[in-house]
Amino acid sequence: MNGPVEPFKIKMVERVGMPDEQRRNNAIIEAGYNTFLLKSEDVFIDLLTDSGTSAMSDYQWAGLMTGDEAYAGSRNFYHLREAIRDVLGYTSYVPCHQGRGAEHLMYSYLVKPGQIVPRNMYFTTSKLHVELPGGRMVDIIIDEAHDPENEYLFKGNVDLKKLQALIDEFGLGKIVFVNVEMNVNMAGGQPISMQNLRELRKFCNDYKLKIIFDATRSSENAFFIRDREKGYENVPIIEILREMMSYSDGCIYSCKKDALVNIGGFLATNDKEIFENTRNMVVVYEGLHTYGGMAGRDMEAVARGLREGAQYEYLKYRVNQVRYLGELLNKADVPIVKPIGGHAVFLNALKFLPHISRNQWPAQTLTAAIYEESAVRSMERGAVSKGRDKETGQNIYPALELVRLTIPRRVYTNTHMEYTANSIINLFKKKDTISGLKMVYEPKYLRFFQSRFEKISL
Ligand code: P61
């Protein structure tokens, strides 16, 4: 099996070094067994996230030089508006410093205290920005998404029966909009189908409910629609994207993923009221409505990256590189979430470390063990990420207790994938020697970023 051929050549490189075993052992202790707290220079291959870690193209770098840093009315704001219109089909947008800035503006405008926000699986920052104005996020993803072994091709789909049950239980007055994520991150990078989006739109029209997308990984989702859904085999990615977005009333978007940049975000909509209200609030929290926390040069890089990131040849390589890593692991019987997702390979920590109980944080334990073995940095996506129940204060143990090996875009070679796979396969062979962790520090918000752990002896 060969890795996919890269549709680019490398013009600039950055040195990375392999820390020796002693340095790795010290580094992970100092980091409190939390890979977010490692120094990047102690990492050999950084698979913490695909967010803000992309390599920009020469065309994007050239765009930086055309940055118009005027306080108001920067030309790059208008370039980005054109790109959003062309690629996503929204007429209006509000720039923000990154995705969570857009979530803040969108959800603090739409969510009122006591309201329910149905969503196809939570995402950490999205859930928090629904909770801060007094709302509650409720999961309406299909059951298949909670089963790592289930190979259903559209595990990001919304279960309309679950949505109906919420309406029946709480009444329409409690629900203002349905929140739909593309290529659902916490489910393993799993797509939603066009058919499901279409059915959801019809359902929401009947009840006069708005639909707001988290379109952060919409280009990778569009690739899966083309690859897997009947009737889309030869449809250009941009046409697929525009059809997807046409089923929404607006979206929030972190540009740090599919738009191939290191920073940036926006919300976009065709709804005049959403636009006017969020555009008014952007000046309070982010910056003027024609830059919203981004420099002019950043907006130019996003405008170019949004178009590049929607090219079929690029997306094919991208998704296949992730698949390559996943298949190397799968062949060696390392337990992973299936089907292999768009931006990452997810290890099933409950199967990898069956001897470690949930309250000893198996996924967190596995991220630390992978680092110690290989200097590869991964991310916990299980109970530490999920946090505590808002009402009872108890830890919630989600069905998925995962470790995310997230592939930055256009950054690592297929040899890096092979090194990663071999290291994890070696670790898997000696998994019984790995002991669990206890949490010794827990901050109030988004605890996974800063919490600290100590090792429990076997
Ligand atoms: C990530 F550990 N994702 O996946 P911002 N929506 C979605 C995201 O994936 C997302 C945001 C909104 C990150 C960064 C990150 O728990 C974590 O531009 C589907 O990062 O503000 C971000 O966009 C927010 C990592 C965020 C985390 C939260 O790695």
Side-chain angles (χ1 to χ4, degrees), residues 49 98-100 124 185 214 217 254 257 381 404 448:
T49 178
Q98 59 182 79
R100 70 198 74 176
T124 54
N185 193 350
D214 181 333
R217 293 185 180 80
S254 167
K257 287 81 170 170
R381 293 281 81 167
R404 191 179 74 171
F448 49 89

Side-chain angles (χ1 to χ4, degrees), residues 100-295:
R100 70 198 74 176
E103 289 175 334
H104 177 210
L105 298 180
M106 183 71 97
Y107 304 149
S108 63
Y109 166 60
L110 288 176
V111 179
K112 304 283 171 280
Q115 274 175 343
I116 305 284
V117 177
R119 173 165 166 135
N120 53 346
M121 201 171 269
Y122 85 106
F123 185 70
T124 54
T125 54
S126 325
K127 178 166 166 271
L128 183 59
H129 280 296
V130 162
E131 287 172 357
L132 288 174
R136 184 154 69 90
M137 193 167 262
V138 180
D139 192 2
I140 51 161
I141 204 165
I142 54 171
D143 287 340
E144 286 87 337
H146 296 283
D147 174 5
E149 311 285 327
N150 190 308
E151 304 227 21
Y152 185 59
L153 291 178
F154 289 103
K155 280 167 99 173
N157 279 358
V158 166
D159 187 336
L160 292 178
K161 288 192 292 306
K162 289 186 187 172
L163 182 54
Q164 182 66 58
L166 277 183
I167 295 171
D168 295 344
E169 186 180 349
F170 295 101
L172 261 183
K174 285 267 179 208
I175 305 169
V176 179
F177 70 102
V178 179
N179 198 203
V180 179
E181 188 183 330
M182 321 271 91
N183 240 37
V184 183
N185 193 350
M186 301 300 277
Q190 305 294 335
I192 183 165
S193 71
M194 194 73 92
Q195 189 191 340
N196 190 243
L197 286 175
R198 218 175 282 129
E199 286 167 4
L200 178 69
R201 180 75 266 178
K202 191 176 171 311
F203 182 100
C204 289
N205 282 351
D206 292 346
Y207 284 112
K208 297 200 167 39
L209 282 171
K210 289 193 191 303
I211 302 176
I212 301 295
F213 284 174
D214 181 333
T216 296
R217 293 185 180 80
S218 47
S219 300
E220 288 168 3
N221 197 119
F223 175 82
F224 281 126
I225 288 178
R226 178 167 156 149
D227 207 36
R228 297 176 179 174
E229 196 162 346
K230 212 166 161 284
Y232 288 92
E233 300 82 358
N234 299 310
V235 180
I237 294 292
I238 284 184
E239 274 180 40
I240 297 177
L241 276 168
R242 292 172 66 129
E243 183 182 345
M244 287 161 70
M245 301 308 141
S246 75
Y247 300 126
S248 77
D249 296 280
C251 78
I252 70 94
Y253 197 103
S254 167
C255 304
K256 300 174 71 173
K257 287 81 170 170
D258 283 6
L260 298 164
V261 292
N262 307 119
I263 195 72
F266 58 80
L267 66 85
T269 181
N270 294 331
D271 180 308
K272 201 162 167 273
E273 260 176 51
I274 293 177
F275 176 56
E276 279 188 13
N277 280 283
T278 51
R279 186 178 59 163
N280 189 210
M281 289 314 280
V282 76
V283 297
V284 180
Y285 291 107
E286 303 276 319
L288 194 78
H289 56 278
T290 55
Y291 74 85
M294 282 189 278

Side-chain angles (χ1 to χ4, degrees), residues 323-370:
R323 190 176 298 160
Y324 180 56
L325 172 63
E327 301 215 316
L328 290 173
L329 291 166
N330 192 34
K331 267 206 197 129
D333 293 326
V334 174
I336 61 168
V337 174
K338 292 172 197 156
I340 295 160
H343 66 306
V345 176
F346 288 72
L347 304 174
N348 180 357
L350 296 180
K351 271 198 140 182
F352 199 115
L353 299 175
H355 58 288
I356 296 184
S357 60
R358 294 295 304 260
N359 63 1
Q360 295 186 6
W361 318 109
Q364 187 77 29
T365 301
L366 187 52
T367 59
I370 291 170

